[in-house]
């Protein structure tokens, strides 16, 4: 019986791999299927300005630690939006990590995330910590756009989230492509949730023996975004570099793809403010990752002159709290701690 299940699983993987290589497959999300992904925020206005993408990763529901969400919120809200286009993203691991988060099955964390004004969120591995049904409930409850190109629901036969969104800043279109590490399938906290009572896999993360199927899926999303008119592509990656399975690292994904201009990373909880990786055609790609538990805020800057720089903001920059947000955070934590 076990051998039969293994054979069945291998057949599913082979079918999905074939689909991912098929230009007519729904797994590739061709430009025709995602035409509504262009988002033009009227607040951005017109003209030539710098584009600044602020990011958090691996906050682990530690919303009052270090800079704290109240500090991050104050900084971003008071950033000079008259002179810059600003966007705020998170690349995963925000709904688990504390006793209150566990007790509420991530709902407390979702409420607090919704206070922050995130534009885009990519699910992390720990978002699966409460089972697939709760995962979908929590993602649906987010006010931000959930973006991921490699979460495939086997039973529904679909990718439940948009693979990318395109923001228009003045005359420049920037695509944000999301990707979640297949390592979620292997973590002790989440592994069992990917299978039903018959040991049949529920979610496919484009995992295989050498990483090629993941690289192809990311490239497919990038190609679709470029075909739809994106001038720049930023990969929002819950992948990581150190201490994780190498074939699914940001380094390997970038080394096997092209036309990605910058990476905002998470999962490995590193502090990287000057990371550079080499892509498939030998181009250097900047990467930022902002540690964990609200210690830092990441930032990618696309200048008026089209240069891309990255930075990690620390206590010197983020040193004032938004008192209103702090009170609201404390209310949520108190509500779910009872």
């Amino acid at each position: 019986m076990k051998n039969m299940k293994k054979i069945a699983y291998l057949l599913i993987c082979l079918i999905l791999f074939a689909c991912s290589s098929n230009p007519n497959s729904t797994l590739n999300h061709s430009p025709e299927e995602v035409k509504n992904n262009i988002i033009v925020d009227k607040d951005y206005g017109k003209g030539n300005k710098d584009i600044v993408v602020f990011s958090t990763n691996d906050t682990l529901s530690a919303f009052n630690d270090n800079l704290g969400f109240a500090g991050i919120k104050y900084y971003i809200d008071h950033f000079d939006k008259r002179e810059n286009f600003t966007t705020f993203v998170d690349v995963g691991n925000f709904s688990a990590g504390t006793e209150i988060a566990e007790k509420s099955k991530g709902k407390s964390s979702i409420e607090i995330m919704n206070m922050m004004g995130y534009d885009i969120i990519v699910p992390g591995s720990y978002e699966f910590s409460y089972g697939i049904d709760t995962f979908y409930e929590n993602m649906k409850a987010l006010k931000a756009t959930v973006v991921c190109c490699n979460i495939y629901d086997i039973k529904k036969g679909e990718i439940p989230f948009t693979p990318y969104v395109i923001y228009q800043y003045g005359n420049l279109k920037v695509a944000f492509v999301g990707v979640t590490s297949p390592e979620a399938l292997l973590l002790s906290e989440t592994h069992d949730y990917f299978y039903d009572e018959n040991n049949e896999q529920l979610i496919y993360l484009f995992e295989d023996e050498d990483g090629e199927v993941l690289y192809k899926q990311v490239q497919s999303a990038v190609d679709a975004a470029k075909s739809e008119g994106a001038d720049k592509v930023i990969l929002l990656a819950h992948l990581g570099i150190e201490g994780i399975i190498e074939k699914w690292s940001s380094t390997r994904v970038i080394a096997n793809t092209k036309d990605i201009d910058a990476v905002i990373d998470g999962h490995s909880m590193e502090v990287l403010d000057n990371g550079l990786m080499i892509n498939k055609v030998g181009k250097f790609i900047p990467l930022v990752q902002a540690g964990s538990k609200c210690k830092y805020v990441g930032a990618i800057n696309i200048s008026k002159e089209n240069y891309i720089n990255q930075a990690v903001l620390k206590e010197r920059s983020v040193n004032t709290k938004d008192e209103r947000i702090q009170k609201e955070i404390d209310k949520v934590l108190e509500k779910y701690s009872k």
Side-chain angles (χ1 to χ4, degrees):
M1 183 61 72
K2 286 184 177 179
N3 287 335
M4 290 297 292
K5 287 180 180 177
K6 287 181 179 178
I7 292 170
Y9 171 70
L10 287 172
L11 284 172
I12 290 172
C13 288
L14 286 170
I15 292 169
L16 290 168
F17 179 81
C19 287
S20 69
S21 302
N22 181 352
N24 297 317
S25 168
T26 58
L27 299 191
N28 284 284
H29 284 256
S30 65
E32 289 72 26
E33 295 172 293
V34 289
K35 280 186 176 178
N36 292 327
N37 279 322
I38 292 183
I39 298 175
V40 180
D41 189 327
K42 293 178 182 178
D43 290 338
Y44 291 144
K46 300 289 184 181
N48 294 319
K49 303 179 182 179
D50 279 10
I51 298 165
V52 182
V53 183
F54 292 111
S55 64
T56 54
N57 59 274
D58 303 288
T59 56
L60 301 175
S61 298
F63 302 119
N64 283 333
D65 287 6
N66 301 302
L67 304 177
F69 262 26
I72 294 169
K73 177 69 170 170
Y74 182 91
Y75 181 85
I76 291 175
D77 281 356
H78 288 76
F79 188 78
D80 193 348
K81 295 181 182 179
R82 294 171 302 172
E83 300 299 328
N84 300 281
F85 297 121
T86 60
T87 300
F88 190 23
V89 306
D90 183 274
V91 291
N93 280 359
F94 51 83
S95 60
T98 65
E99 185 177 343
I100 292 175
E102 300 289 333
K103 186 177 179 180
S104 67
K105 293 187 176 180
K107 290 179 174 54
S108 58
S109 303
I110 297 300
E111 287 191 25
I112 293 171
M113 294 291 286
N114 283 341
M115 296 175 188
M116 294 294 288
Y118 282 103
D119 296 292
I120 305 168
I121 288 175
V122 175
S125 49
Y126 288 163
E127 272 60 77
F128 295 97
S129 295
Y130 314 111
I132 300 302
D133 290 342
T134 302
F135 166 74
Y136 279 134
E137 288 174 10
N138 287 345
M139 295 304 102
K140 186 177 180 180
L142 286 167
K143 293 180 180 178
T145 302
V146 179
V147 176
C148 189
C149 72
N150 72 307
I151 293 177
Y152 181 80
D153 190 307
I154 294 173
K155 291 200 171 181
K156 293 180 181 178
E158 65 179 15
I159 290 179
F161 307 111
T162 183
Y164 63 89
V165 291
I166 298 176
Y167 275 32
Q168 182 159 343
Y169 306 93
N171 298 320
L172 192 73
K173 293 179 180 178
V174 179
F176 296 88
V177 175
V179 58
T180 297
S181 176
E183 272 202 334
L185 284 162
L186 306 179
L187 298 176
S188 59
E189 300 93 336
T190 57
H191 173 270
D192 291 347
Y193 292 125
F194 285 93
Y195 302 87
D196 65 14
E197 62 276 7
N198 298 316
N199 204 33
E200 293 182 356
Q201 190 169 350
L202 300 170
I203 300 292
Y204 172 61
L205 295 176
F206 288 79
E207 70 277 1
D208 68 350
E209 290 298 318
D210 56 12
E212 287 294 328
V213 70
L214 180 65
Y215 312 149
K216 287 182 179 179
Q217 184 62 7
V218 171
Q219 188 65 63
S220 176
V222 172
D223 292 346
K226 295 290 285 187
S227 295
E228 201 173 333
D231 301 298
K232 300 286 185 184
V233 176
I234 296 178
L235 186 67
L236 304 180
H238 186 83
L239 294 174
I241 298 175
E242 292 295 330
I244 54 99
I245 295 176
E246 186 180 0
K247 65 183 176 183
W248 295 325
S249 67
S250 289
T251 307
R252 287 289 294 273
V253 169
I254 290 301
N256 286 276
T257 56
K258 62 179 182 177
D259 293 327
I260 293 169
D261 297 286
V263 181
I264 296 173
D265 199 18
H267 186 48
S268 55
M269 306 184 196
E270 301 168 78
V271 181
L272 299 168
D273 61 356
N274 59 357
L276 286 175
M277 295 177 291
I278 301 176
N279 75 359
K280 190 175 182 178
V281 294
K283 182 180 177 181
F284 285 98
I285 309 301
L287 173 143
V288 66
Q289 189 178 158
S292 65
K293 295 187 177 182
C294 303
K295 284 185 178 179
Y296 309 103
V297 179
I300 291 285
N301 180 81
I302 303 176
S303 72
K304 296 185 289 290
E305 295 77 24
N306 237 0
Y307 295 115
I308 298 179
N309 299 296
Q310 71 273 47
V312 168
L313 307 178
K314 305 178 182 179
E315 292 85 349
R316 282 183 308 182
S317 301
V318 186
N319 55 15
T320 306
K321 303 285 185 183
D322 184 314
E323 293 182 5
R324 182 186 64 83
I325 288 293
Q326 186 63 65
K327 288 178 181 178
E328 293 299 316
I329 290 171
D330 292 342
K331 281 182 185 178
V332 171
L333 295 178
E334 182 179 0
K335 177 175 73 171
Y336 284 102
S337 64
K338 294 178 181 178

